[in-house]
Structure formats: structure tokens, C-alpha cells
Amino acid sequence: MNDVKNADPKRKAGEQLPLVFSHDAASGRDDLLISERLAAAVSIVDAWPAWPSPVVVLAGPVGSGKSHLARIWRELSGAVDIHPEHGSDAAVTAAAGPVLFEDADRLGFDDNALFHVINSVRENGTSLLMTSRLWPMSWPVLLPDLRSRLKAATVVEIGEPDEALLSQVIVKLFADRQLYIDDKLVLYIVNRMERSLNAAQTIVERIDRLALSRGTKITRSLAAEVLNELGNSEPAD
């Protein structure tokens, strides 16, 4: 019995690895898979502009869904991306409307520039959404006034995806490619993969490309090959 339940008849496999095109998985608000770990973050995005404070921080590990939610909010609010660096016009941009600063802890920022952005948002009645792997109090902030402003921000934590959510994500990512795989294969992948949404996307993409390049069905052995290449070991019995 094949592990793939159904596949798009228009998909054709070549002898060589197919060209890599940008695959746009559905990523709008209606495509968001909501679990308990995401509920609070989704609620704060949906509540805009009636936020409890003008500055909101979504904090969570890599692959937890922060970027997906940030894209949804940017589309909802018409926000402009900023990076508060020394000499930037981020504060001016923030005075004109909602702004988005992603990966604040990873990209870094100038304390004074971010302080002026937050002041601009507060004074002009706009909004600032930031994403980060760490809570703001863990950021290397030296400016006391900025630390005070960050304490007043609304921080929403997103946990790591659980098995149920990762299973839904795997199914969705294959469905975006018009592939419908067996539940047992989904569980096999989830039990061996890194627990992140980024990992799920990488695994599905590589499995799909490898199957196309060989002209084969998506099977457990093919999935195992991809998982092994990515450093995922067999789970303990």
C-alpha cells in the first residue's frame, strides 16, 4: 500500500533534480492552524487596534509561528517594516502608522533609536509589533528609559509546537503541494523531526523534491532518508 493517498496527476518526475521554484504555501489568516500554544498570540493579532498597550512583543523559539503571525498583522494593519538602527528614520515612520520590527533579539537595535520609535508610537496613537526569541527583559538593553518602556509592553509567549500541531502542519504543507500522505507516515515524520515549524517546511520540501527527482512515491524509506540527512535519529522504543 502506498504511503501517498493521492497526488496531482499533472506532477511529472524527471531523471534529474527539478528546478527549485519558490513554493508559496498558504499563509493567510484563514490558513493558520490554531492550537493552545498559539491562542493568545492569535487573539492579540485579531484584537488590533484595540490592544492593551501600543507595543506588543511576540516571543517564542525559532519556527514557532511568529513570522506567520507578523505577516498576518502586517497585512491587517498595513504596517511598515522597520529596523531601529542609529541614524534610521524608524521613529518618523512609526509616527505615520503601524510598524513591525521582526527578530529584534537577533538583528539587534540601537537603544536610542528603539526608544524614540516607542515614544513616537505612544505619542501618535500608532502601534508597534516586535518578534523575538527572547523576552524583552533578556535583551541587552543599556538605556534605562528604554528598559522602562519595554516593561510596559504587552508580551505574548508562543511555546514550541506539540505533536498534534506538527502533524496538522505536515499534512497542510503536503496538501499545499497537492499531496495527501498516510497518517502513519505523518506520525513517523513527527516523531523523528525537530519540533519547529521551520523544520516541518524544510522536511516536506526535501521529501517532495527527492520524490520528484526519482519519479517515486513518497514512502517511509524516502522520508527516513531525508530525515537522516537532516540529522534526525530514530526515536527510542
Side-chain angles (χ1 to χ4, degrees):
M1 181 176 177
N2 293 327
D3 288 312
V4 177
K5 296 180 181 178
N6 187 27
D8 181 359
K10 295 181 181 180
R11 293 167 58 88
K12 297 180 180 179
E15 295 180 355
Q16 299 180 349
L17 196 65
L19 294 175
V20 181
F21 296 99
S22 175
H23 179 76
D24 296 325
S27 58
R29 175 64 179 82
D30 293 340
D31 299 295
L32 187 64
L33 298 173
I34 301 175
S35 67
E36 183 177 349
R37 54 174 282 283
L38 271 179
V42 171
S43 294
I44 200 72
V45 167
D46 286 345
W48 184 86
W51 279 357
S53 66
V55 179
V56 168
V57 180
L58 299 182
V62 173
S64 60
K66 300 186 302 295
S67 293
H68 189 157
L69 286 167
R71 286 195 297 269
I72 291 171
W73 182 75
R74 182 170 53 206
E75 181 177 350
L76 172 68
S77 65
V80 176
D81 291 292
I82 60 168
H83 186 187
E85 298 176 295
H86 178 70
S88 72
D89 60 355
V92 175
T93 303
V99 287
L100 171 65
F101 179 27
E102 291 199 73
D103 298 321
D105 63 314
R106 181 174 63 84
L107 294 180
F109 50 84
D110 177 79
D111 281 18
N112 284 294
L114 183 55
F115 174 69
H116 288 303
V117 166
I118 294 176
N119 280 349
S120 184
V121 164
R122 289 159 59 106
E123 292 168 3
N124 292 280
T126 59
S127 306
L128 166 63
L129 176 66
M130 294 186 281
T131 65
S132 169
R133 296 168 300 178
L134 306 173
W135 278 60
M137 290 302 100
S138 298
W139 297 354
V141 173
L142 300 178
L143 184 65
D145 286 343
L146 174 58
R147 185 166 289 277
S148 176
R149 291 287 188 270
L150 291 173
K151 284 182 179 179
T154 298
V155 182
V156 180
E157 185 174 16
I158 304 174
E160 291 184 348
D162 57 20
E163 182 179 297
L165 178 62
L166 284 175
S167 295
Q168 293 179 61
V169 169
I170 292 289
V171 169
K172 176 184 179 298
L173 289 171
F174 275 115
D176 286 339
R177 296 167 180 270
Q178 298 182 317
L179 293 169
Y180 304 92
I181 67 174
D182 185 85
D183 290 343
K184 292 182 179 179
L185 181 54
V186 173
L187 186 60
Y188 174 77
I189 294 171
V190 168
N191 283 338
R192 296 187 61 193
M193 65 178 285
E194 171 191 321
R195 289 190 176 274
S196 80
L197 303 186
N198 286 350
Q201 187 166 355
T202 298
I203 289 166
V204 170
E205 179 181 355
R206 293 198 183 187
I207 288 174
D208 184 25
R209 289 178 57 203
L210 187 59
L212 281 172
S213 68
R214 295 178 179 176
T216 62
K217 299 287 187 181
I218 296 177
T219 62
R220 175 169 170 154
S221 61
L222 188 143
E225 183 176 342
V226 169
L227 288 164
N228 286 333
E229 288 176 354
L230 294 173
N232 297 273
S233 60
E234 286 281 1
D237 292 334

